[in-house]
Each structure stands twice: as C-alpha cells, then as structure tokens.
Amino acid sequence: MPISFKQRISVSLGSSVGCEGDTLEIPVIISGAREVGAVSLVFAFNANSLQLVDWINSAPQTASNQWFVNQVGNEIRLAWFSLQSANIPDGQPLGVLKVVGLSSSGLTWDLVTPGNCEFGDEEASSIPASFVSGSLTIHPLPSVQLTASAQAICPNGGVSILSTVADPSYTYQWYLNGQPLTGSTGDSHLAGQSGLYQVKVTNTNGCTRWS
C-alpha cells in the first residue's frame, strides 16, 4: 500500500533592531507550504515591549481570504483559512508585521497551547511544521533635559546659557527656530538671540531625541 507523507513546513520569525519608539518590520518567512488551507500562528514577547501597528500580507497565494491579526496582551495572533488551498514558494515572506518597538524581547512561538501554531490542508488535516523564533532589539533613546540660566532673552540684549545632559558618547546639534546653528555641537549653547531653541542629541546606537 502506498504511503503519503506531507512535506514539512518551516516557518521563522525575523529579527529586527531599532531605537525606542521606532516602527519596525518583522517578517514571517515560510518554506515547504504546499496545499495549505489553514494557518494559526501565535508568538509571545515580553510585556510592554512592542505594539502591533499593521500586518502586510506578502503572499498573494493567500489573498483568497482575509487574514485575522491582533494583539492580545503579550501575544500576537495570526490566522487564515480558505476552501481553496495555497502553495507558497519556499523562502517567500508570508507577511510582515509592523510594530512599534518599546524594549528588547525575544519573539517566541507558542508551541505549548493546542491549536496556536498549526497548519492544515483543505481537508482539515494537520500539516507537520517546525518553528524558528525571532527577536526584537531596542536601543534606548539618549537623555535630554534642557536647562537655561535665564527664563527669557530680552530683545535689547542679554544672553542665556542653554545646556543639556553631558555625555561624552553623545553628539549634539543646536537649532534656532528650526534651523541648525553652525558650530553649535556641544552640550551647551550661548543664546543671545530670542527665538525657539532646541537641541538634537544622538547616542552611539544612532538613536536621536529632541528637547
């Protein structure tokens, strides 16, 4: 008697690196997806480490039905089903999750709860699958605390020393009314003209914060 074996699906979460508050993309990559009729995927992360913004379907083969994607606490859940099975080319992104990164976290598939990470065919039979987790690395923003030696600069004269947090690993650029002040790249600035002063501070990870 001939025996039929289903091809094993492999699905992996990508890893993303950015600064606190950045909108980042986490791809979901799949291989071995043949005659897929249903998808249920759930992964967990540290509490308050990210916020789901959007899901972009990258597999036109699954366009026959809508994806259901939502965030519940510290989990993101993805589900799709169709009476018309899909064959997805190996290595093609199933989709891309857009998230706001708040702190670093592992992105771990829930392989314990029944039904949370499963693939099925159009006959509702389970398709074997393996899962590779991902990660989110979030660099903190630099500290910015602007202080002035005077609350106001008189139009007829007077100066104020503006300063912010001094850190030798930071780079600084001061602005007046939205325009960069040439040569003003230290942690303090001698302001002799009235207007709106700001400082842009960047740390070694390329993360920037404005005063």
Side-chain angles (χ1 to χ4, degrees), residues 36-179:
V36 175
V39 178
S40 174
L41 299 172
V42 178
F43 70 88
F45 45 86
N46 296 340
N48 303 316
S49 60
L50 64 85
Q51 183 66 48
L52 177 65
V53 176
D54 198 8
W55 162 259
I56 302 172
N57 180 15
S58 303
Q61 300 84 359
T62 65
S64 59
N65 245 0
Q66 181 181 357
W67 278 88
F68 297 92
V69 181
N70 65 343
Q71 179 175 346
V72 180
N74 66 326
E75 292 184 338
I76 288 181
R77 303 177 179 183
L78 304 95
W80 173 87
F81 73 92
S82 176
L83 297 177
Q84 182 179 356
S85 62
N87 295 302
I88 304 171
D90 290 351
Q92 176 179 310
L94 192 60
V96 175
L97 289 158
K98 296 186 73 172
V99 303
V100 174
L102 303 175
S103 63
S104 296
S105 175
L107 309 175
T108 308
W109 295 111
D110 179 7
L111 305 180
V112 177
T113 308
N116 269 4
C117 284
E118 292 186 356
F119 291 85
D121 61 19
E122 58 187 7
E123 297 176 350
S125 297
S126 179
I127 303 175
S130 60
F131 297 85
V132 178
S133 295
S135 64
L136 188 67
T137 301
I138 301 299
H139 299 299
L141 300 178
S143 298
V144 178
Q145 186 176 355
L146 192 61
T147 59
S149 62
Q151 293 299 313
I153 301 171
C154 298
N156 297 325
V159 295
S160 177
I161 299 175
L162 306 176
S163 60
T164 186
V165 176
D167 188 313
S169 67
Y170 290 174
T171 59
Y172 304 86
Q173 177 62 61
W174 289 87
Y175 288 76
L176 173 59
N177 296 327
Q179 298 300 314

